[in-house]
Amino acid sequence: MILRTPLAGHLPLLLLLLLLGLLLPALTPPFCHGKTVNPTDQIQLQPDQGLPEPRAYMPDAQHLDFVYHDHEELTRFLRATSARYPNLTALYSIGKSIQGRDLWVMVVSSSPYEHMVGKPDVKYVGNIHGNEPVGREMLLHLIQYFVTSYSSDQYVKWLLDNTRIHILPTMNPDGYAVSKEGTCEGGQGRYNARGFDLNRNFPDYFKQNNKRGQPETDAVKDWISKIQFVLSGSLHGGALVASYPYDNTPNSTQFCTLPPIWLLKGICRSSALCAMFQTYSAAPSLTPDDDVFKHLSLVYARNHAKMSRGVACKSATPAFENGITNGAAWYPLTGGMQDYNYVWYGCMEITLEISCCKFPPAYELKKYWEDNQLSMIKFLAEAHRGVQGFVFDPAGMPIERASIKIKGRDVGFQTTKYGEFWRILLPGYYKVEVSSFLPIEIRVIQMRQYHLQVFAEGFAPREVEFVIVEQHPTLLNVTLQPSKRIEGIGAMGPAGIGPGLGGGGGGGGGGVPGPGALYRPIQAPQHYRPQGSPYPGGAPSDNGIFSTISNGLNSLYSNIFG
């Protein structure tokens, strides 16, 4: 008698399934094994295999995973993205860190390899503090989003067609290499390999910065001296706020360099002394473009999922109204990058603190991307607000390095080698001053009045009124006329007299003028700085007991809160 089991009639099918089970792994295409796997799932399934933890990025992967990428992985991702999207990306290095790691910059634009006339250059800088890497990863994901969405997202397409976006994911790769994931506070990895805080290593307008220049900051200074950036964001961690210039203040050698009063509770015993700390530390240091900087900060904060709520990261830390703050009102610092960008080159940079924890666990990165994605994109689009145009000579040739300022706003900017200029302004009437050296004539649209002043070497300065409206930038072309020639008067004016202000791109004093030199009716600098010295008798040094104490407290405060 044949004994039958319930499975007996299905033996051929079972044998077939068994055979397929043995063959399928061998038949699976190689690229299937590159699929992202949950690390915990792999460990549970194969506990004894000793497999390495799967990484997010493979050279031929289509998606970037939410993990932290070391410098080698970051480099591979950037190179592979540039190779895959040659019409949208270009990769270049602005220099090397102390330990020899490249400071990679990726341009994302429909014209990535060369400047296209009329397109503003903007930038993001991440990871200036090595132990604050959320911004580093957000910038990698921003690159990925731009290149994969260009053909499907009309807003992204418009942005890339009309803007050149330069992204430096990490300015401090050496610091990142010694940082530890999950560390929310402290200073390990914050500094570069020589122990310097790179966000205290730039020249400062308010106070002499005696700290020795570092390769990373020197590379960034050289970079922004060669490209006329219009807008910039620097990504940090340790708080949730958009901070805008100035970061420093004329009184920064006083007690105003101490942290705010909420940090001093329990330290100071005298209510009068605490009141003095409160008075100094709460004082904002406002730029001539304060309205624009507040607007830019609000654009980021309001498009962020949480920032504009102004909720404090901890009960002991401050809450920021609308998610923004003036840098010096939060805590003053000397040698910051955002002040340098603005005062030296007219680039409007703000500091974006995007995570309460400096180095949060990798599983939180996806949420940070969701919180920041819209803000990062909308912020860059602000480069198209305000006024833009060209400065020409009478023959229609562009005038390079003409100095421009908005009347009443004494921090200026310069034209590119194609004579282009951009300035972010809110709706209103303005006058512009253009000089290669004369103010100039301008046609306008309608609404708040501004005056543009233009100066260029060998040309008469001109001043022009124009209007900014909300819907689109004002286009403004300025033609400068050659200045008069007067025998015995040099291009810098009478002997020994030069421009009243120095500048990032030029300067120079007087000298004995040669015959046939040019006469300028109005003396004008090649680059504007705020009028007058903020400190009598020259820039103060870092010497003195109060400075030593306050610098130490500032360093402690920075390590804790960003």
Side-chain angles (χ1 to χ4, degrees):
M1 182 173 88
I2 299 175
L3 294 175
R4 293 187 175 269
T5 67
L7 296 177
H10 301 284
L11 283 176
L13 178 60
L14 291 174
L15 290 172
L16 178 61
L17 290 174
L18 179 61
L19 180 62
L20 287 174
L22 294 171
L23 291 177
L24 274 176
L27 296 174
T28 304
F31 58 80
C32 291
H33 297 292
K35 181 181 176 181
T36 303
V37 180
N38 186 318
T40 57
D41 292 342
Q42 186 140 3
I43 292 172
Q44 291 171 351
L45 292 172
Q46 300 177 341
D48 300 324
Q49 298 300 313
L51 295 176
E53 180 180 343
R55 298 300 306 179
Y57 178 67
M58 299 296 290
D60 60 346
Q62 291 296 316
H63 298 287
L64 185 71
D65 212 350
F66 290 97
V67 298
Y68 291 104
H69 299 82
D70 62 28
H71 195 72
E72 181 181 345
E73 293 165 336
L74 178 147
T75 299
R76 287 205 311 268
F77 167 74
L78 294 175
R79 284 177 170 165
T81 301
S82 183
R84 185 177 297 115
Y85 300 96
N87 296 326
L88 290 177
T89 62
L91 182 63
Y92 64 97
S93 173
I94 61 170
K96 291 183 181 291
S97 67
I98 289 169
Q99 294 180 347
R101 296 179 173 94
D102 276 295
L103 304 178
W104 293 115
V105 175
M106 175 154 279
V107 181
V108 187
S109 175
S110 62
S111 53
Y113 289 97
E114 59 184 15
H115 176 76
M116 294 295 289
V117 175
K119 276 191 181 184
D121 288 278
V122 300
K123 64 182 168 73
Y124 273 129
V125 177
N127 205 201
I128 187 171
H129 292 141
N131 64 338
E132 299 171 14
V134 174
R136 167 188 176 118
E137 295 302 325
M138 295 303 98
L139 292 178
L140 296 183
H141 282 278
L142 184 64
I143 291 169
Q144 179 79 5
Y145 182 76
F146 278 153
V147 297
T148 57
S149 302
Y150 178 76
S151 59
S152 59
D153 186 323
Q154 290 303 306
Y155 192 87
V156 168
K157 186 178 189 307
W158 168 82
L159 186 62
L160 269 58
D161 284 347
N162 293 280
T163 323
R164 295 188 79 233
I165 302 166
H166 302 247
I167 296 176
L168 171 59
T170 176
M171 185 178 160
N172 187 4
D174 297 350
Y176 173 80
V178 297
S179 302
K180 292 186 177 179
E181 182 179 339
T183 305
C184 289
E185 299 175 359
Q188 181 177 346
R190 175 185 179 90
Y191 309 103
N192 75 348
R194 289 180 183 156
F196 282 81
D197 187 328
L198 299 181
N199 202 38
R200 307 292 187 274
N201 198 238
F202 288 86
D204 195 278
Y205 173 64
F206 292 99
K207 181 180 178 183
Q208 182 177 337
N209 190 357
N210 296 321
K211 295 182 175 65
R212 181 160 53 103
Q214 297 302 296
E216 297 90 345
T217 47
D218 289 344
V220 169
K221 287 188 289 184
D222 184 59
W223 180 39
I224 62 180
S225 73
K226 293 176 179 176
I227 300 174
Q228 184 65 55
F229 288 109
V230 178
L231 180 65
S232 177
S234 174
L235 278 64
H236 292 242
L240 197 61
V241 65
S243 173
Y244 56 89
Y246 291 119
D247 265 335
N248 210 351
T249 169
N251 301 315
S252 62
T253 55
Q254 309 293 325
F255 280 108
C256 65
T257 52
L258 291 171
I261 196 68
W262 52 266
L263 186 63
L264 296 168
K265 287 180 179 177
I267 297 177
C268 55
R269 296 289 181 262
S270 164
S271 59
L273 184 61
C274 288
M276 180 172 69
F277 288 159
Q278 176 83 52
T279 301
Y280 277 107
S281 64
S285 181
L286 306 182
T287 71
D289 291 290
D290 187 62
D291 59 336
V292 177
F293 277 117
K294 284 180 179 174
H295 168 79
L296 293 172
S297 301
L298 285 170
V299 166
Y300 198 94
R302 287 173 176 168
N303 285 286
H304 188 278
K306 304 182 182 72
M307 191 179 289
S308 63
R309 300 176 196 166
V311 179
C313 285
K314 300 177 183 175
S315 59
T317 59
F320 301 100
E321 185 177 359
N322 297 318
I324 69 172
T325 184
N326 172 261
W330 185 12
Y331 66 98
L333 61 90
T334 297
M337 184 166 67
Q338 70 176 10
D339 285 9
Y340 177 77
N341 270 267
Y342 175 61
V343 176
W344 264 256
Y345 294 100
C347 173
M348 293 188 165
E349 177 169 292
I350 65 173
T351 298
L352 303 165
E353 301 274 357
I354 61 172
S355 63
C356 289
C357 177
K358 289 177 179 287
F359 201 150
Y363 64 78
E364 296 182 3
L365 287 173
K366 188 174 189 296
K367 182 58 178 173
Y368 283 116
W369 170 244
E370 293 168 353
D371 289 349
N372 287 276
Q373 177 186 7
L374 183 61
S375 293
M376 296 172 75
I377 296 171
K378 290 283 190 178
F379 176 76
L380 294 179
E382 290 299 304
H384 297 279
R385 174 186 296 277
V387 62
Q388 63 185 65
F390 296 83
V391 178
F392 298 113
D393 66 16
M397 298 300 294
I399 299 176
E400 182 181 0
R401 289 192 173 275
S403 292
I404 304 177
K405 75 166 187 173
I406 306 302
K407 192 170 184 178
R409 299 172 183 242
D410 286 336
V411 173
F413 48 103
Q414 292 185 328
T415 57
T416 69
K417 67 178 181 179
Y418 304 105
E420 308 154 288
F421 68 90
W422 296 265
R423 192 60 163 186
I424 302 171
L425 294 167
L426 302 185
Y429 293 94
Y430 297 85
K431 276 189 181 178
V432 84
E433 297 175 0
V434 187
S435 99
S436 213
F437 287 117
L438 266 172
I440 212 173
E441 117 190 40
I442 286 178
R443 298 186 195 107
V444 198
I445 323 182
Q446 45 170 174
M447 283 211 44
R448 191 163 151 203
Q449 187 172 358
Y450 292 86
H451 290 209
L452 183 74
Q453 298 172 312
V454 187
F455 305 84
E457 185 69 40
F459 293 86
R462 294 200 64 175
E463 181 173 296
V464 185
E465 293 185 4
F466 64 100
V467 174
I468 298 296
V469 296
E470 178 69 31
Q471 292 76 12
H472 51 78
T474 295
L475 304 178
L476 192 62
N477 291 341
V478 177
T479 301
L480 294 182
Q481 300 297 327
S483 54
K484 300 174 183 177
R485 289 179 176 272
I486 293 185
E487 295 295 327
I489 304 260
M492 300 302 288
I497 299 178
L501 297 172
V512 179
L518 296 172
Y519 165 67
R520 287 193 299 273
I522 301 176
Q523 294 299 321
Q526 289 197 347
H527 191 80
Y528 277 94
R529 300 280 187 80
Q531 297 286 349
S533 174
Y535 30 75
S541 67
D542 289 320
N543 301 326
I545 185 170
F546 287 135
S547 179
T548 302
I549 294 172
S550 60
N551 285 342
L553 285 171
N554 264 335
S555 178
L556 172 64
Y557 179 65
S558 298
N559 286 339
I560 298 174
F561 301 107

